[in-house]
């Protein structure tokens, strides 16, 4: 708008040189005067805008796409791990293929999309704080609440960047100047974890233990996110009391049915600590307030869903991990020795008998597979739901798909109001199990894991056939004997995290923080290269691929006086 004003001013001055200067002192009609926002209504509108970036969809087409930035990190946390394939076919969205194959480059548009989306969110939170400081119609309590919510969001957005890129600039309201395009061009040489902790501690100390609107964070949401930040740094002593306080609060529990964590009709349930809120049929164009970051990730081939798009297919490796032994326990070391029988290469019209061996029931809430009900859309037909089995394998994604019976669809039924559970109580238990395994009691760790397994074992939570019988041979049990070996306990806890959180965008980040990403991913590439030819020869380079590259265009954009202020990550 400044450029437009300059051009218009030049034209007017050239034509009407005798006019008074006051002729030019007119606020553009499309501009929002800053003082308009420096009150309770304006600041709260800015705060709502800060929440809007949680789903990754807020700016004009071309700036970045929702699936670059979506809250569930399906590209960066799942496809870039051993949990999922890009899916669809080879020619669709090649930047995702490059990430999946370990061909990771600084000019990949997806990395820039994530970068820009998160920094847009950060800029919005800083707008809130800057305008709040000049507003005079807030009570002290109201002011403190707004600051706490804005700092929670700012901590979240910075943490997303930290997980992805490691060395990134921390931008707060004292750095950000909306009138100075150079203000945020600062070096990325400092570790921003302390600043993230400061934001989240501030939120934790002020936010209430409950909110009237479920989309706003509580004290416990801030605490859980702060504990997660601590765990990523192996600060177990700092994380433990916060997580134990969440348990002791009594506000949360494991819901009886595992899949109630992935269904629109059970949004914001007793297990949910913080959800990214989606809505449809609310007047927004095209249902774009729905789960638009997952709009590509639906079965392909028509029928229940439009002929698009077939992305985000669960890997064979992930499906294999849900096999259980005769005692109902996971096959920690041998799960991938043989593949779970599937319909790879079998036409949907040809006979197929589903696997009858023992399975963890969470498999069929995580992975769509032939012969098993696909929520309430009917029995999964196999190949007819997959765009290219040779390329993307036989499976379909499931957790983000809404039930047919849920009244939560936009006109495009790939957009729905099935919220993304950013933090849920099961993760609190898993993190406590990790902490006890590393620093405390192995028996307490076993207790936390058994709580999660006991919930998964409840028959009322199984996928059912139309006649009410279990859709497969679900056999899952708790660990019956004491854990006395730390290495075994660590393996069991980490395996449980994969089973519980599969296809939720966490896997790659977990592998990195555990320090096992290179060995896990290279073993995966070796085996998967024989199933998906495009993965043959892929490699995770230790010391490089733990983090993605700083987007090259952002390095170019960071120049001040001809010199870049951003430094590229190691190896890129």
């Amino acid at each position: 708008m400044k450029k437009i004003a300059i051009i218009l001013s030049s034209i007017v001055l050239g034509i009407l040189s005798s006019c008074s200067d006051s002729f030019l002192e007119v606020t553009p009609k499309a501009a929002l005067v800053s003082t308009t926002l420096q009150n309770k209504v304006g600041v709260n509108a800015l705060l709502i805008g800060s929440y809007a970036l949680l789903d990754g969809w807020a700016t004009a087409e071309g700036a970045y796409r929702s699936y670059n930035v979506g809250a569930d990190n399906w590209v960066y946390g799942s496809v870039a791990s051993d949990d999922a394939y890009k899916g669809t076919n080879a020619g669709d969205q090649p930047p995702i293929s490059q990430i999946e194959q370990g061909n990771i480059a600084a000019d990949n548009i997806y990395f820039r999309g994530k970068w820009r989306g998160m920094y847009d969110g950060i800029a919005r939170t800083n707008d809130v704080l800057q305008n709040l400081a000049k507003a005079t119609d807030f009570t002290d309590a109201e002011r403190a609440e707004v600051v706490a919510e804005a700092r929670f969001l700012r901590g979240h957005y910075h943490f997303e960047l930290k997980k992805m890129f490691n060395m990134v600039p921390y931008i707060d309201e004292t750095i950000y100047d909306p009138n100075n395009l150079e203000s945020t061009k600062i070096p990325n040489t400092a570790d921003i974890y302390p600043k993230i902790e400061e934001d989240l501690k501030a939120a934790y100390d002020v936010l209430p233990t409950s909110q009237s609107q479920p989309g706003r964070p509580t004290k416990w949401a801030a605490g859980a996110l702060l504990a997660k930040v601590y765990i990523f740094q192996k600060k177990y002593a700092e994380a433990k009391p916060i997580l134990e306080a969440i348990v002791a609060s009594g506000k949360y529990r494991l819901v009886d049915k595992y899949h109630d964590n992935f269904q629109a009709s059970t949004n914001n349930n007793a297990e949910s600590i913080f959800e990214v809120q989606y809505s449809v049929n609310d007047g927004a164009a095209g249902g774009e307030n729905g789960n638009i970051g997952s709009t590509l990730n639906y079965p392909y081939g028509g029928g229940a869903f439009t002929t698009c798009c077939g992305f985000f297919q669960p890997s064979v490796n992930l499906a294999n991990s849900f096999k259980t032994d005769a005692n109902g326990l996971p096959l920690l070391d041998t799960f991938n020795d043989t593949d779970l029988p599937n319909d790879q290469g079998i036409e949907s019209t040809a006979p197929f008998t589903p696997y009858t061996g023992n399975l963890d029931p969470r498999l069929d809430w995580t992975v769509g597979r032939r012969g098993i009900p696909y929520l309430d859309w009917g029995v999964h037909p196999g190949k007819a739901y997959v765009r290219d089995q040779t390329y993307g394998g036989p499976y379909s994604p499931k957790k983000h798909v809404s039930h047919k019976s849920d009244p939560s669809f936009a006109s495009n039924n790939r957009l729905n109001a099935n919220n993304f559970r950013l933090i849920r109580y099961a993760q609190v238990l898993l993190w406590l199990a990790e902490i006890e395994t590393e620093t405390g009691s192995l028996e307490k760790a076993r207790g936390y894991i058994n709580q999660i397994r006991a919930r998964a074992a409840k028959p009322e939570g199984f996928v059912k056939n139309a006649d009410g019988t279990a859709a497969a041979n679900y056999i899952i049990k708790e660990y019956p004997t004491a854990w006395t070996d730390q290495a075994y306990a660590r393996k069991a806890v980490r395996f449980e995290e994969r089973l519980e959180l599969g296809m939720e965008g966490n896997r790659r980040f977990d592998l990195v923080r555990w320090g096992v990403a290179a060995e896990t991913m290279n073993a995966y590439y070796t085996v998967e290269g024989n199933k998906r030819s495009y993965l043959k020869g892929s490699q995770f380079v230790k010391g490089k691929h733990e983090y993605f590259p700083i987007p090259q265009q952002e390095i170019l954009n960071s120049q001040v006086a001809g010199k870049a202020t951003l430094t590229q990550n190691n190896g890129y």
Side-chain angles (χ1 to χ4, degrees):
M1 293 203 62
K2 290 179 181 178
K3 291 180 179 178
I4 293 170
I6 291 169
I7 293 168
L8 289 176
S9 297
S10 300
I11 293 171
V12 171
L13 283 171
I15 298 173
L16 302 171
S17 59
S18 64
C19 289
S20 167
D21 288 346
S22 63
F23 176 80
L24 301 176
E25 296 172 2
V26 179
T27 302
K29 291 183 178 180
L32 192 61
V33 180
S34 60
T35 53
T36 304
L37 300 172
Q38 292 166 7
N39 53 64
K40 191 179 293 186
V41 172
V43 169
N44 280 315
L46 290 172
L47 182 59
I48 292 170
S50 300
Y51 283 99
L53 262 296
L54 288 172
D55 71 355
W57 184 259
T59 63
E61 184 75 13
Y64 46 79
R65 299 299 297 273
S66 56
Y67 30 92
N68 301 166
V69 196
D72 59 1
N73 280 320
W74 67 275
V75 174
Y76 315 109
S78 293
V79 173
S81 78
D82 52 355
D83 266 10
Y85 310 129
K86 180 198 76 173
T88 191
N89 64 17
D92 209 340
Q93 291 294 317
I96 308 178
S97 300
Q98 293 165 357
I99 294 170
E100 180 185 8
Q101 295 164 27
N103 180 18
I104 296 172
D107 61 355
N108 189 305
I109 62 171
Y110 271 67
F111 299 139
R112 191 177 183 218
K114 184 70 173 181
W115 179 283
R116 295 181 70 183
M118 295 304 96
Y119 275 115
D120 276 358
I122 291 164
R124 292 186 182 199
T125 63
N126 288 330
D127 278 335
V128 171
L129 296 172
Q130 288 175 342
N131 283 277
L132 176 66
K134 297 177 181 178
T136 59
D137 56 344
F138 282 86
T139 66
D140 289 345
E142 290 169 340
R143 187 178 300 274
E145 169 76 18
V146 170
V147 170
E149 289 186 36
R151 294 191 73 175
F152 170 86
L153 293 169
R154 188 170 69 186
H156 163 74
Y157 291 131
H158 276 109
F159 183 45
E160 287 292 290
L161 290 162
K162 178 68 178 176
K163 289 190 305 179
M164 287 276 296
F165 305 107
N166 190 25
M167 301 304 291
V168 298
Y170 172 85
I171 310 294
D172 68 10
E173 77 277 16
T174 68
I175 295 171
Y176 170 62
D177 179 357
N179 296 311
N180 178 7
L181 297 179
E182 306 284 278
S183 66
T184 57
K185 295 183 179 182
I186 62 174
N188 60 330
T189 52
D191 182 5
I192 70 167
Y193 266 136
K195 293 292 188 179
I196 296 173
E197 291 174 12
E198 286 179 17
D199 273 342
L200 296 176
K201 283 178 186 175
Y204 181 59
D205 290 342
V206 171
L207 287 170
T209 57
S210 62
Q211 294 275 18
S212 59
Q213 294 176 308
R216 297 184 188 269
T218 64
K219 176 184 183 69
W220 306 122
L225 186 54
L226 176 59
K228 184 176 182 179
V229 169
Y230 283 142
I231 288 170
F232 266 63
Q233 301 171 80
K234 296 184 168 56
K235 291 184 175 181
Y236 301 124
E238 291 87 345
K240 183 177 178 180
I242 299 174
L243 295 172
E244 289 180 334
I246 293 171
V247 173
S249 75
K251 285 187 63 68
Y252 306 101
R253 64 176 177 84
L254 298 175
V255 293
D256 291 336
K257 298 179 181 180
Y258 175 69
H259 188 65
D260 279 352
N261 292 301
F262 318 105
Q263 188 169 354
S265 62
T266 50
N267 284 344
N268 304 305
N269 62 34
E271 189 166 336
S272 174
I273 297 177
F274 188 73
E275 296 187 8
V276 177
Q277 305 291 315
Y278 299 136
S279 68
V280 294
N281 303 317
D282 55 4
E288 63 185 33
N289 287 333
N291 61 339
I292 196 164
S294 297
T295 189
L296 301 180
N297 304 338
Y298 288 81
Y300 186 93
F305 305 96
T306 56
T307 308
C308 183
C309 296
F311 283 75
F312 196 31
Q313 293 180 238
S315 70
V316 170
N317 183 287
L318 176 65
N320 289 343
S321 69
F322 287 93
K323 293 180 290 186
T324 60
D325 64 16
N327 298 312
L329 297 177
L331 307 177
L332 299 180
D333 296 309
T334 60
F335 74 95
N336 207 40
D337 286 357
T338 59
D339 289 342
L340 184 70
N342 57 64
D343 69 321
Q344 180 80 42
I346 301 175
E347 295 295 331
S348 292
T349 54
F352 173 75
T353 302
Y355 180 64
T356 58
N358 294 356
L359 292 171
D360 185 316
R362 289 171 290 188
L363 165 68
D364 289 326
W365 291 122
T366 305
V367 177
R369 61 193 185 102
R370 182 169 176 181
I372 303 297
Y374 193 74
L375 305 180
D376 57 354
W377 292 97
V379 174
H380 193 291
K383 194 173 182 180
Y385 260 12
V386 177
R387 188 173 188 179
D388 183 350
Q389 272 196 346
T390 302
Y391 183 79
Y395 301 124
S396 300
K398 205 167 188 178
K399 281 184 173 177
H400 62 279
V401 178
S402 197
H403 283 63
K404 184 178 182 180
S405 55
D406 277 344
S408 61
F409 295 101
S411 56
N412 174 355
N413 66 5
R414 291 181 289 108
L415 295 175
N416 59 59
N418 186 8
N419 289 350
F420 177 65
R421 281 69 169 176
L422 189 69
I423 306 173
R424 53 191 176 89
Y425 186 64
Q427 290 170 286
V428 169
L429 298 180
L430 288 165
W431 293 334
L432 280 168
E434 277 195 58
I435 292 169
E436 294 294 351
T437 298
E438 299 302 330
T439 65
S441 163
L442 298 183
E443 274 301 273
K444 285 185 178 179
R446 183 172 71 96
Y448 289 126
I449 295 303
N450 278 344
Q451 287 186 52
I452 292 169
R453 294 184 67 78
R455 185 265 296 277
K458 292 182 177 181
E460 62 264 37
F462 293 174
V463 174
K464 302 290 180 61
N465 292 315
D467 62 2
T469 59
N473 186 32
Y474 300 129
I475 304 293
I476 179 174
K477 295 182 180 178
E478 300 173 33
Y479 285 92
T481 58
W483 286 354
T484 57
D485 179 73
Q486 186 186 43
Y488 176 83
R490 182 181 294 121
K491 186 183 298 183
V493 168
R494 292 177 178 178
F495 205 90
E496 197 68 29
E497 294 207 35
R498 188 185 194 193
L499 296 174
E500 180 72 14
L501 306 175
M503 301 291 284
E504 294 180 47
N506 297 291
R507 178 64 170 169
R508 185 185 181 95
F509 302 117
D510 285 341
L511 294 175
V512 169
R513 70 183 178 86
W514 292 331
V516 298
E519 61 194 74
T520 302
M521 290 305 299
N522 286 330
Y524 169 75
Y525 289 141
T526 297
V527 175
E528 290 293 321
N530 296 318
K531 301 182 179 81
R532 314 270 90 80
S533 61
Y534 63 84
L535 290 176
K536 189 176 290 293
S538 294
Q539 184 181 13
F540 186 106
V541 179
K542 190 171 186 177
K544 174 182 177 181
H545 286 154
E546 285 81 3
Y547 298 101
F548 298 117
I550 306 297
Q552 187 61 35
Q553 189 60 47
E554 297 304 322
I555 294 177
L556 295 173
N557 290 347
S558 76
Q559 292 185 18
V560 175
K563 184 176 181 180
T565 58
L566 293 178
T567 303
Q568 185 55 272
N569 284 334
N570 181 59
Y572 293 104

